[in-house]
Amino acid sequence: MKKRKKRRFPLVPLAMLALLAVLFVIVYPRMAARSQYPVRYEAEIRKAAEVYSLDPALLAAVARIESSYRADARSYVGALGLMQIMPDTGAWLAGKFGEEYADGCLYDPETSIRYGCWYLGYLTRRFGGDLTLATAAYHSGQGTVDKWLANPLYSANGVKLDVIPGPEA
């Protein structure tokens, strides 16, 4: 009786196929996320994040949510620029930097990112590292968050928000 030769898949093509599958699972989601949520002003965001010890992803998220990365954005309440800073807050921030506040400076992406990053860091420290409170205060105002914390409808303990109220609050 003649012995039959076993057919084997060559290992190299099989290993390459496995490698491609792994790369697809690991790399594709990142590539897809980057194309769906591109980060603009990445160098400026990374620089400010490093200077003020904040996560660059947090800054990018704030810029994306606040202005959709539009340096010329103006909200219905009057917040300006990429990081959507109110002019009064911008004047206060300029003073913190020893700068003269000028109309239109908040439309400059580098200034907006620098001011917004410093302010977000300030709010993070003010609210004890709680990013929920800090970002709520960035968007709605720190006085507003203080009122929410004092209201038992929104905070059971005055330290954390149980509910972030809508615009009617």
Side-chain angles (χ1 to χ4, degrees):
M1 206 189 265
K2 209 174 187 183
K3 270 191 174 179
R4 289 171 98 187
K5 226 179 190 184
K6 288 184 181 178
R7 281 191 167 175
R8 289 185 158 194
F9 278 122
L11 287 180
V12 172
L14 192 59
M16 288 182 69
L17 187 60
L19 179 63
L20 282 173
V22 168
L23 285 175
F24 182 78
V25 167
I26 292 171
V27 174
Y28 179 75
R30 290 182 187 172
M31 287 173 44
R34 274 204 174 268
S35 68
Q36 290 175 347
Y37 301 104
V39 175
R40 296 191 181 102
Y41 303 100
E42 187 171 356
E44 294 89 342
I45 287 171
R46 286 189 182 281
K47 178 182 172 185
E50 185 176 332
V51 169
Y52 298 106
S53 302
L54 287 177
D55 183 350
L58 174 63
L59 290 179
V62 169
R64 168 74 170 87
I65 292 299
E66 291 289 337
S67 70
S68 297
Y69 292 113
R70 287 184 33 239
D72 64 345
R74 181 182 178 94
S75 75
Y76 70 94
V77 296
L80 305 174
L82 190 65
M83 298 297 285
Q84 288 291 280
I85 298 170
M86 294 295 287
D88 288 348
T89 304
W92 178 73
L93 290 166
K96 294 288 183 189
F97 284 94
E99 298 172 0
E100 190 77 28
Y101 178 75
D103 288 340
C105 72
L106 297 175
Y107 290 120
D108 173 57
E110 192 171 322
T111 300
S112 186
I113 290 168
R114 187 166 44 97
Y115 284 11
C117 186
W118 186 94
Y119 188 48
L120 192 55
Y122 162 80
L123 292 171
T124 302
R125 290 185 301 279
R126 184 182 185 281
F127 289 105
D130 187 319
L131 290 178
T132 300
L133 295 177
T135 53
Y138 188 95
H139 182 75
S140 299
Q142 51 189 313
T144 301
V145 171
D146 289 335
K147 289 176 191 170
W148 293 344
L149 287 169
N151 187 333
L153 292 174
Y154 307 130
S155 176
N157 61 10
V159 177
K160 299 259 185 212
L161 287 175
D162 302 317
V163 174
I164 297 178
E168 68 282 348

